[in-house]
Amino acid sequence: MKTNEKQIEEIREYYNKVNIGFDHTLKYYRTKRFIELTNELLQNKNYNMCLDIGCATGVFTELAVRKIPNVVAFDISEEMLKVTKEKIKKLGIKSSLMYIQGNAERLPFRKGVFDLIILFRVLEYLSVPEQSIQEISRIIQPKGSYIGSVPSRYGLYTAIPFNIVYDAAAKTKNFIMRRKKDNSGADNYYRNFYTPESIRELFKKSDLSLDIFAVDYLTIPRLDGFIVRKALARITEKLSELATPLKALAINLVIKGKSVKKGKATANKSILACPFCKKDVELKGKFAVSKCGLKYLIHNNIIRMQYPLCPKCNSITCLVGETKSKVQFICRKCGGNLVSDNA
């Protein structure tokens, strides 16, 4: 499992800075239709264990805790998780809620523990998105459901000249898409935009069924307040279900499906596993300890499972080397080395 650690750190640092105003930014991602679809999913079945990947400031975590007894909020940014935690606390809802900071390409959970997974606008940031799909396929329960959203590559909201530049830049070795000024004035790190065909290719080797819904047509800011815009969007959305090529013109593509693997859900009370060796993790006071010996920090009720702690000084390490069987870390404080198994 190889990931672009430099890019991941850039994204984490960026979203740690914009956590407070991110709810305002979300409206430019066109969340309304995805919220409706997620609510429909929550109404149709009684779920027990939900994972919100890339939870950000908790818009979908909030939806989940109102309906599901056990919810995990997961994000690369610990500052985003703090905002989510405060937001859920104010709701006063009784739910078993866990906050975990980590990398979506290395999900720190045991096999087959979640019966619902939400991933809104996550895959476009990942250097190896197919690895994240394989991880989701691993941790979802048999017959478990998932719902997600990705930006469309050729949506009406994206200018054609932009796509020409994007396609050329995407061929470079270390491409990271930085759209310097979006509507909120913030930087965004996008590595991928998607078509229905590229999404199908992404899911090809997974144990997940796949339905693709094209949403948010004609989403032009000047028309947002008009009923005609909303009506046209719904009509085009319905037509896209009949004519696949129309899906490519949407702004957002919703992905939805179930696990088709056989077997039973994990009965063990512990849902955590080391993101590197995949061995069980046990919570011990201020630490989450893996059976492989790696130790992770718990701070302000947030379990930080992106990188383990240095065994000498308990400072957070960073990943510096990886093979198929081993991973190597170096302490950011004392410079000590740490080597562990790699799944």
Side-chain angles (χ1 to χ4, degrees):
M1 284 190 175
K2 289 193 175 181
T3 59
N4 189 327
E5 299 300 319
K6 181 180 178 182
Q7 179 195 356
I8 293 165
E9 277 300 288
E10 286 182 348
I11 293 170
R12 185 183 71 83
E13 290 172 5
Y14 166 68
Y15 281 103
N16 276 343
K17 294 176 182 177
V18 301
N19 62 310
I20 301 300
F22 193 70
D23 279 351
H24 174 74
T25 304
L26 274 175
K27 70 180 181 180
Y28 296 107
Y29 287 175
R30 307 294 165 193
T31 58
K32 186 175 181 180
R33 183 59 180 143
F34 188 76
I35 289 173
E36 291 174 356
L37 291 169
T38 304
N39 267 326
E40 288 175 14
L41 192 65
L42 293 172
Q43 296 292 339
N44 292 334
K45 184 179 176 181
N46 293 324
Y47 296 98
N48 179 62
M49 181 73 72
C50 172
L51 171 64
D52 184 5
I53 302 175
C55 68
T57 51
V59 172
F60 300 103
T61 306
E62 182 178 338
L63 292 180
V65 297
R66 294 179 185 275
K67 298 286 184 180
I68 303 172
N70 302 288
V71 179
V72 177
F74 182 88
D75 202 274
I76 189 64
S77 166
E78 59 270 27
E79 296 299 325
M80 287 286 191
L81 287 165
K82 288 178 184 177
V83 175
T84 299
K85 190 172 70 165
E86 289 302 313
K87 185 181 289 186
I88 302 301
K89 185 179 179 181
K90 290 178 182 178
L91 293 176
I93 298 174
K94 290 184 178 180
S95 176
S96 177
L97 192 56
M98 185 180 285
Y99 302 92
I100 299 179
Q101 183 266 341
N103 179 0
E105 293 173 331
R106 299 179 188 272
L107 293 171
F109 304 105
R110 299 179 76 243
K111 181 180 178 181
V113 293
F114 297 101
D115 55 359
L116 176 63
I117 296 177
I118 301 170
L119 59 155
F120 175 76
R121 298 298 289 264
V122 174
L123 297 176
E124 62 266 32
Y125 292 97
L126 306 179
S127 56
V128 195
E130 59 270 23
Q131 185 169 298
S132 184
I133 298 301
Q134 291 300 319
E135 284 284 84
I136 290 168
S137 182
R138 178 181 64 83
I139 66 173
I140 197 170
Q141 292 180 9
K143 298 182 181 180
S145 302
Y146 74 89
I147 184 169
S149 175
V150 295
S152 174
R153 178 179 246 178
Y154 300 115
L156 295 178
Y157 199 52
T158 308
I160 292 175
F162 172 82
N163 284 304
I164 294 172
V165 174
Y166 171 86
D167 287 339
K171 294 177 182 178
T172 62
K173 185 176 180 181
N174 296 313
F175 171 65
I176 296 178
M177 176 57 209
R178 297 189 184 189
R179 195 168 59 183
K180 283 296 182 182
K181 291 290 180 181
D182 67 6
N183 291 319
S184 67
D187 286 359
N188 278 317
Y189 293 84
Y190 291 148
R191 192 155 188 120
N192 308 292
F193 287 84
Y194 290 93
T195 64
E197 291 73 25
S198 65
I199 293 172
R200 290 190 190 96
E201 187 64 28
L202 201 62
F203 279 73
K204 197 172 182 180
K205 296 181 180 180
S206 74
D207 294 321
L208 302 169
S209 67
L210 174 65
D211 290 318
I212 303 172
F213 300 87
V215 297
D216 291 331
Y217 291 88
L218 306 175
T219 311
I220 303 170
R222 288 174 298 175
L223 299 180
D224 271 359
F226 289 82
I227 295 176
V228 64
R229 175 258 159 196
K230 295 179 181 178
L232 285 171
R234 291 293 183 273
I235 291 169
T236 319
E237 185 179 323
K238 291 297 181 183
L239 287 173
S240 76
E241 296 175 14
L242 302 175
T244 300
L246 283 174
K247 291 181 180 178
L249 297 178
I251 296 151
N252 291 310
L253 297 172
V254 171
I255 52 178
K256 183 181 175 184
K258 292 186 176 183
S259 170
V260 295
K261 63 186 177 184
K262 297 180 180 180
K264 295 182 179 180
T266 300
N268 197 312
K269 291 183 179 180
S270 173
I271 66 169
L272 296 177
C274 175
F276 300 98
C277 72
K278 304 306 180 187
K279 293 181 180 178
D280 290 359
V281 167
E282 186 179 350
L283 302 184
K284 296 182 178 180
K286 295 182 179 180
F287 304 104
V289 183
S290 169
K291 287 186 176 180
C292 69
L294 294 182
K295 187 167 62 173
Y296 299 88
L297 178 67
I298 303 175
H299 183 63
N300 290 330
N301 290 323
I302 296 173
I303 307 172
R304 299 187 61 174
M305 298 196 70
Q306 183 182 358
Y307 300 122
L309 295 174
C310 172
K312 294 180 181 179
C313 66
N314 274 343
S315 296
I316 292 178
T317 62
C318 60
L319 192 151
V320 292
E322 181 175 12
T323 66
K324 289 184 178 180
S325 60
K326 298 291 181 181
V327 281
Q328 182 180 2
F329 308 91
I330 188 168
C331 179
R332 303 183 188 192
K333 185 177 181 181
C334 72
N337 286 309
L338 176 63
V339 178
S340 180
D341 294 335
N342 197 13

